[in-house]
Amino acid sequence: MKVVVLGATKGMGRSLARLFAERGDQLFILGRDAEDIDRSARDLEIRGAPAPVGCAVCDLEDRHTFAPALEAAEKALGGLETVVVTAGRFATQEAMEEDPELAASVLTADFTGTVLFCEEARRRLLARGGGTLCAFSSVAGDRGRKPVVLYGAAKAGLSHYLEGIDHKFRAAGLKTVCIKPGFVKTGMTAGLKPPPFAGEPDQVARAVLRAIDRGRPVIYTPGIWRWVMLIIRNLPRAVMRRIGF
Amino acid sequence: MTGWGRYPAVTGLEVQGEDIRRTTAGATLCRGLGRSYGDSSLIPADDSTSRRFAACTTRADRLLAFDETTGMLRAEAGLSLLEINRLFLRRGWFVPVSPGTQFVTLGGMVASDVHGKNHHIDGSFGEHVDQITLQTADGRVIVCSDQQEPELFRATIGGMGLTGHILEVQFPMRAIPSPWIFEESRRIDNLGDMVDGLKEAADRWPMTVGWVDTLARGRHLGRGILMKGRWATPDEAPAKPPPTKRRLRVPFQLPNFVLSKLSIKAFNTLYYWKHIRREKRGIAAPESFFYPLDALLDWNLIYGSRGFTQYQCVVPHTADNGPARRVLDLFRREGGCSFLCVIKDCGAEGKGMLSFLKPGMSIAVDFPIHPTRTPALVDKLNELVIAEGGRIYLTKDAFTRAEHFRAMELRLEAFNAVRQRWDPQGTLRSAQSVRMLGDTP
């Protein structure tokens, strides 16, 4: 499989890229920091990805980097079958309420940036007759909640977009996979107190790989979050207003 | 924050991240998987006005270079031995020196200068390290080796992470004929036979270790099981690579009475007589040969809320085994009883300025902590070890007095001088370095 991963240097993206590498998939990785993605590329080669694992700079907050990065990937891989976006930004609700600049940057990266990157990838995949587009949304997008108002809003928008293109283009051969991780212990959530059923990046990565292989449109991971969110989605507003979740 | 012995515990901030340079910048100390037993990986207790924190390196675990012809490997310091084994055993490579658990990071292996069953031939891990990349207290990134900054290099090997934050480690992996072990074990009646057995096996076997029943006394003192191993040749080894075994986990902290003198005694006797045939030989998986205890995750919880410690020392070898005999005898007389006691003959002293092992016999005993009896027992053992000209292993220690350590470790001054040169402010410290190496709290 020819795979492009945006976000392979950290957290769940790193774990997922390593799973692709260990089964010998051809990889090309994108990220913000040229030196950092280069180090991750070497890691993936030693773990079994066919060398060379190429890399190119791509920043979700700068949409002009999307086309050149995907162009470079397509050229190096000699095609394109799967595009995965695990990158994203996170900040606490309190921090974003106080700092509009921070809020703008999180909203831009997690919604506008991710959607426009997916659009670029969608066009390229469809031009080749289809493939798989996988993006990391979040359980935070399932319902407006006090601790993740802004972050959740961006992820809700992203989830809607991913559902929309899945309906529109699946018949044309483009499978869209929307990943909704619950709380996962990564650098992004370091400093937050892990709730019960917090997941590990490796465990999430294995579930994501299965979902990509099977073309599942939506998965919750760790799996328990599917049931947690089913309850949360169905709570009456009056209850949501009172609880802090 | 605690070490593997779950004693002592300190409250403090621990940060982690994939970017090892940024994560460790400004940290008081690095820690990896926290497998040192006592307070080596803990920061000094905080007065909450200082901004000290520990940097956890386990997310910085990238492989950076591997040469398929020479085996030379370079990786970030947070890479675990578990992961190295998972990736490289089936490709025919193994680390030059492996400690008794896979739950250690490369950085920890350098900082503790770990040793293994092959110490009598290959020395400790630090002997094989080719190059270390370090972030010093002032934030500079220094590459050191035998040629480049050799003094800092020697201080960092076995330096308990106190010379700088270890960012990357480069060392040659060793080609192995198969991913299986050929093992031979023998039931031994007493200490004399055990030491003779280790010495005799030293020439013919690359890996040896002895397990001792600490409750046996008199003419049975030192009875146990002698284990010897080598990598199996391709025609001896099964065709398939060793399977990954499912590991069990101790689900919660067991009550303190579970590990009493009686149950330890029962375990020791059973373990000894399980080896009813005097000699056994056969093919074993490396996992069960090198890391028998890794099969049970969180086994430190067995000791209950008391926590436990390990006392490991090296004493000179004499023809009558006097020093080793006196250590075991004192331990038993003082009421010590150990679930696990390991004895090993050691090779040459390492290049690390504070490396633990030197020629002689290493003895390690595990025991639950008693608030008054344990410090007294460690004091007595230390006085004996000083008299015998031995020393203790910092990685296992939680109770040694500073004056005792200074008496057994004449190299400490030179080590602290190197630290002073690279960290004049004394930023890098651990709870242990404050307790016994003379650092300010």
Side-chain angles (χ1 to χ4, degrees):
Chain A
M1 199 156 78
K2 300 173 196 292
V3 189
V4 178
V5 184
L6 169 56
T9 59
K10 296 206 164 66
M12 293 178 271
R14 176 185 284 194
S15 297
L16 180 61
R18 285 175 174 177
L19 292 183
F20 283 125
E22 277 176 36
R23 62 180 204 184
D25 288 331
Q26 239 182 301
L27 278 166
F28 194 96
I29 61 173
L30 312 176
R32 269 191 301 186
D33 178 340
E35 195 198 320
D36 198 38
I37 44 179
D38 188 59
R39 284 163 76 95
S40 281
R42 301 293 84 76
D43 178 63
L44 295 167
E45 282 170 7
I46 301 170
R47 284 167 190 270
V53 171
C55 47
V57 172
C58 180
D59 182 356
L60 279 178
E61 289 180 65
D62 179 4
R63 66 190 167 90
H64 302 293
T65 59
F66 301 166
L70 283 168
E71 179 68 39
E74 212 170 341
K75 212 179 233 168
L77 293 172
L80 203 56
E81 287 165 11
T82 301
V83 179
V84 186
V85 192
T86 66
R89 288 206 58 186
F90 179 80
T92 61
Q93 179 62 17
E94 294 75 40
M96 284 195 277
E97 279 172 10
E98 269 170 37
D99 182 355
E101 285 302 315
L102 177 65
S105 131
V106 171
L107 292 173
T108 307
D110 289 351
F111 180 71
T112 315
T114 308
V115 168
L116 291 176
F117 180 86
C118 287
E119 282 293 281
E120 185 66 39
R122 171 188 67 79
R123 276 191 291 276
R124 288 172 185 272
L125 287 167
L126 282 171
R128 295 192 165 267
T132 305
L133 174 61
C134 169
F136 276 51
S137 183
S138 168
V139 295
D142 272 20
R143 181 110 201 231
R145 296 194 283 119
K146 291 174 189 170
V148 284
V149 177
L150 289 160
Y151 176 75
K155 291 297 191 184
L158 177 61
S159 296
H160 262 65
Y161 163 77
L162 293 170
E163 183 179 351
I165 54 167
D166 189 48
H167 292 322
K168 184 161 183 196
F169 297 110
R170 191 164 280 245
L174 179 72
K175 291 178 217 158
T176 305
V177 179
C178 172
I179 309 295
K180 295 185 178 178
F183 192 100
V184 181
K185 293 182 212 158
T186 64
M188 198 169 97
T189 56
L192 304 178
K193 193 175 148 35
F197 353 106
E200 291 290 339
D202 287 341
Q203 168 200 1
V204 169
R206 281 191 296 274
V208 172
L209 189 68
R210 259 198 317 275
I212 290 174
D213 287 343
R214 294 176 189 173
R216 300 258 309 267
V218 182
I219 67 153
Y220 289 85
T221 172
I224 180 111
W225 285 89
R226 183 175 162 201
W227 307 110
V228 175
M229 294 320 289
L230 180 72
I231 297 166
I232 296 292
R233 275 199 313 276
N234 289 296
L235 283 179
R237 260 176 186 263
V239 176
M240 275 312 273
R241 189 158 293 158
R242 284 207 188 139
I243 60 174
F245 186 79
Chain B
M1 225 183 272
T2 71
W4 183 241
R6 302 174 71 230
Y7 178 92
V10 301
T11 311
L13 184 64
E14 183 178 322
V15 301
Q16 51 173 254
E18 284 92 350
D19 184 335
I20 190 164
R21 202 178 153 191
R22 202 182 309 162
T23 308
T24 58
T28 309
L29 189 71
C30 268
R31 67 196 310 243
L33 286 159
R35 276 286 165 141
S36 55
Y37 283 57
D39 49 4
S40 320
S41 76
L42 311 182
I43 54 176
D46 209 333
D47 55 7
S48 80
T49 51
S50 61
R51 307 222 319 266
R52 56 178 74 136
F53 63 95
C56 174
T57 59
T58 52
R59 293 203 187 281
D61 62 346
R62 283 183 289 201
L63 299 152
L64 299 172
F66 180 63
D67 185 328
E68 295 275 357
T69 51
T70 61
M72 191 63 84
L73 177 72
R74 186 161 61 88
E76 291 176 337
L79 181 67
S80 72
L81 181 54
L82 179 76
E83 187 72 351
I84 295 178
N85 286 340
R86 190 180 69 81
L87 293 167
F88 287 96
L89 261 176
R90 59 196 157 106
R91 295 197 217 168
W93 298 95
F94 193 67
V95 285
V97 167
S98 170
T101 172
Q102 307 182 75
F103 298 108
V104 291
T105 60
L106 273 180
M109 287 168 72
V110 170
S112 289
D113 192 17
V114 296
H115 54 271
K117 295 179 170 64
N118 57 350
H119 192 274
H120 60 288
I121 293 177
D122 294 311
S124 54
F125 185 65
E127 298 313 290
H128 305 271
V129 173
D130 188 60
Q131 181 182 297
I132 300 168
T133 308
L134 211 61
Q135 173 160 242
T136 51
D138 55 7
R140 276 183 297 161
V141 174
I142 310 274
V143 175
C144 57
S145 64
D146 277 328
Q147 289 78 39
Q148 239 173 311
E149 299 293 355
E151 193 188 57
L152 182 62
F153 184 60
R154 293 197 308 114
T156 301
I157 292 170
M160 308 309 287
L162 298 166
T163 56
H165 302 312
I166 301 171
L167 304 181
E168 291 170 17
V169 181
Q170 176 170 302
F171 66 97
M173 295 285 283
R174 203 171 262 187
I176 48 173
S178 82
W180 290 89
I181 293 285
F182 183 86
E183 183 183 8
E184 192 178 291
S185 59
R186 194 179 162 80
R187 187 158 46 79
I188 302 286
D189 298 327
N190 59 57
L191 185 66
D193 289 355
M194 178 65 87
V195 175
D196 290 348
L198 282 167
K199 291 279 171 201
E200 205 182 278
D203 298 332
R204 292 179 300 120
W205 295 85
M207 296 174 274
T208 60
V209 71
W211 168 83
V212 171
D213 175 0
T214 46
L215 292 149
R217 51 205 283 187
R219 63 193 171 86
H220 291 301
L221 180 82
R223 79 169 185 184
I225 295 169
L226 173 64
M227 286 164 264
K228 301 167 276 189
R230 58 170 171 77
W231 291 100
T233 58
D235 35 301
E236 285 169 339
K240 277 196 246 163
T244 30
K245 279 212 196 106
R246 254 191 91 86
R247 296 194 179 88
L248 295 173
R249 184 181 290 275
V250 179
F252 48 80
Q253 177 179 292
L254 300 187
N256 288 348
F257 64 78
V258 172
L259 223 59
S260 64
K261 195 152 187 169
L262 199 71
S263 61
I264 293 175
K265 190 163 186 165
F267 170 83
N268 275 268
T269 310
L270 272 173
Y271 195 81
Y272 182 74
W273 286 113
K274 207 186 97 188
H275 208 284
I276 187 95
R277 276 213 342 256
R278 189 163 274 282
E279 209 155 60
K280 290 188 198 172
R281 51 170 66 92
I283 297 290
E287 207 154 284
S288 63
F289 179 74
F290 288 107
Y291 322 110
L293 291 171
D294 284 358
L296 189 60
L297 298 171
D298 295 336
W299 62 262
N300 54 349
L301 296 176
I302 290 177
Y303 283 90
S305 61
R306 301 164 288 188
F308 77 112
T309 188
Q310 184 174 93
Y311 186 81
Q312 183 171 4
C313 62
V314 57
V315 287
H317 172 64
T318 60
D320 66 342
N321 299 315
R325 186 182 306 276
R326 285 189 284 274
V327 170
L328 284 175
D329 211 34
L330 175 69
F331 179 72
R332 193 193 48 77
R333 264 190 295 124
E334 290 300 321
C337 67
S338 174
F339 199 52
L340 292 158
C341 171
V342 171
I343 187 164
K344 169 82 190 111
D345 57 322
C346 310
E349 183 170 275
K351 69 170 91 158
M353 289 180 77
L354 221 53
S355 285
F356 162 53
L357 285 180
K358 57 180 174 182
M361 302 304 290
S362 153
I363 299 171
V365 281
D366 279 16
F367 44 98
I369 288 168
H370 182 280
T372 53
R373 283 205 292 266
T374 302
L377 173 61
V378 172
D379 278 349
K380 282 192 182 142
L381 286 166
N382 279 337
E383 279 155 19
L384 175 63
V385 166
I386 292 165
E388 302 286 359
R391 61 166 82 120
I392 58 135
Y393 192 12
L394 287 172
T395 302
K396 308 288 178 71
D397 187 73
F399 292 99
T400 293
R401 292 169 193 275
E403 62 267 28
H404 281 159
F405 189 68
R406 267 197 299 274
M408 61 180 82
E409 195 47 272
L410 305 172
R411 305 171 299 174
L412 181 59
E413 216 167 298
F415 173 72
N416 275 339
V418 178
R419 287 177 66 201
Q420 172 70 26
R421 213 160 301 145
W422 289 92
D423 178 17
Q425 263 95 50
T427 316
L428 306 184
R429 280 159 306 152
S430 66
Q432 186 172 60
S433 80
V434 167
R435 179 168 61 84
M436 56 196 284
L437 307 189
D439 289 359
T440 49

